[in-house]
Structures are given as C-alpha cells and as structure tokens.
Amino acid sequence: MSATGTTSLSPEQIRFRHAMAHLPAAVSIITTDGIAGRCGITASAVCSVTDSPPTILVCINRNSAMHDVFKENGHLCVNVLTDEQEQMALHFSGATKVPMEERFSWNVWDKNAFNQPALKEALVKLQGRIKECKTVGSHSVLFVELDEIDVSEEKDSLIYFNRLFHKVKRMHL
C-alpha cells in the first residue's frame, strides 16, 4: 500500500487498464432487490455467453460493498442505458454521492416479474437468475440465466470509451 492507502499498480496492470479503456462497451446499471437488500451499480463488464439457454455474464468487483448483496439475492436486472441516461450512470457509479435509497425513489423504475428494479426507459432490460459464480482475481464473474428480455428498438445507446461516455446513434434503415 502507498501512503495514500491505495495499492500500487504494476506496469502490466497499468497497460491492461489503458487497453481496456480503449475497448468500447455498453453502459449498464445492474440492479438487484431481495433478502439482502436493494442496490445498483454502473458497469460495462457485461457480455453474452450463449443463447441456449440465454445467458450473460456480469463482472463485479469483490471489494464492492454491493458484491455480496447481488450474490445473496440471486437475481439481477441489467439495464442497458440510452444516450439520455448518462446522469443515471454517474449516480450509480457513486460520482454524485446521491444515497442509494434516494436513487431508487425516483419515478424512473418499474418492477419486473421477478421484482427486480428495471429502468422504465432503458435500451435493453435483461432480468435473470445467477446460476454460477466464479472468482477471477479481484472480481466475481456471475453467469446469469435470463428469464426476461425487453428491447427498445427506438432508442440510441450510451457507451464508455477512453474513460468518457459517448452517444451512439442507431442507423435508420
């Protein structure tokens, strides 16, 4: 640990983080509600695994205060953000310091069939059950089998690239 209380990064870790910053990724708010509580985080570490059965993976830092809430609840919702939801991404990243309960008090949420918080205006909503969890370094990789899939065809996307948010417009065919 350094004098500031942070762990020093190796040159390899710095190069890796720099490379990953150049990998454009959709921005999502991952939410959960259940016996362990309700919470949400902003994440870009979400990807498809298979369509048989429909399964995604979500990576969550094991040092996150919300890590165990997700694991214990066993259900989650991936809310892929539109180009108009950058402020929500900032709220759920913790950048704005708005308390968690206040974030969930806003009139932007619906509950899906499994009682998980789903953003009304999300580009995509993927709700599912955590079927498996693997520890890889500092993160848990959650394999989520999807029970509910909702896509909005008329919205544009928000991505994270080079440590900044960018808006991606859909093609009109």
Side-chain angles (χ1 to χ4, degrees), residues 37-93:
R38 179 174 54 187
C39 68
I41 58 172
T42 299
S44 59
V46 175
C47 76
S48 66
V49 175
T50 182
D51 66 358
S52 301
T55 303
I56 59 172
L57 66 79
V58 176
C59 300
I60 299 178
N61 191 315
R62 291 185 299 124
N63 291 323
S64 165
M66 290 159 275
H67 174 270
D68 292 343
V69 176
F70 281 97
K71 283 186 64 177
E72 191 173 331
N73 284 347
H75 282 83
L76 58 79
C77 185
V78 175
N79 299 276
V80 181
L81 301 185
T82 70
D83 64 332
E84 297 176 351
Q85 295 174 314
E86 183 176 334
Q87 192 63 38
M88 288 297 286
L90 292 170
H91 290 314
F92 279 87
S93 73

Side-chain angles (χ1 to χ4, degrees), residues 28-34 37 39-41 43 45-47 55-60 66-67 69-80 109 112-119 125-133 140-149:
S28 299
I29 295 175
I30 317 300
T31 58
T32 188
D33 194 358
C39 68
I41 58 172
V46 175
C47 76
T55 303
I56 59 172
L57 66 79
V58 176
C59 300
I60 299 178
M66 290 159 275
H67 174 270
V69 176
F70 281 97
K71 283 186 64 177
E72 191 173 331
N73 284 347
H75 282 83
L76 58 79
C77 185
V78 175
N79 299 276
V80 181
W109 300 101
N112 57 33
F114 295 88
N115 213 30
Q116 299 305 299
L119 275 170
K125 294 175 246 189
L126 305 169
Q127 190 288 138
R129 294 165 281 122
I130 300 170
K131 297 298 278 187
E132 191 174 344
C133 180
S140 287
V141 181
L142 308 177
F143 291 87
V144 181
E145 189 173 308
L146 299 178
D147 297 310
E148 193 173 304
I149 300 170

